[in-house]
Amino acid sequence: MVRLFILAVIATAISAVAADSPIGTSCQCLYSDGSHCCVAFGVGACRELCSATSCNAGGNWSHVSWFTGLGRHKC
């Protein structure tokens, strides 16, 4: 029981650090049909970044978690 509690505390701490880190603030640039084009980690201006890519969606983007973005194409 103590081991589960310790594991839960560690998992919570890791989640909190990931949410506050630049890795936690990532953008997913989208194609014009809404599908994902590429992911950028640790950026501040997602619209400007996604406007500069070859996704041809006029800067459309959405937030994506760092875990989801790990296996996707980087911008």
Side-chain angles (χ1 to χ4, degrees), residues 6-63:
I6 292 171
L7 183 62
V9 169
I10 291 171
T12 303
I14 291 171
S15 297
V17 169
D20 289 338
S21 71
I23 293 175
T25 56
S26 52
C27 302
Q28 175 173 261
C29 299
L30 303 173
Y31 287 115
S32 57
D33 67 354
S35 61
H36 65 274
C37 174
C38 62
V39 174
F41 295 104
V43 296
C46 296
R47 182 169 302 281
E48 287 79 17
L49 172 83
C50 292
S51 294
T53 64
S54 61
C55 300
N56 295 326
N60 290 336
W61 64 277
S62 65
H63 287 287

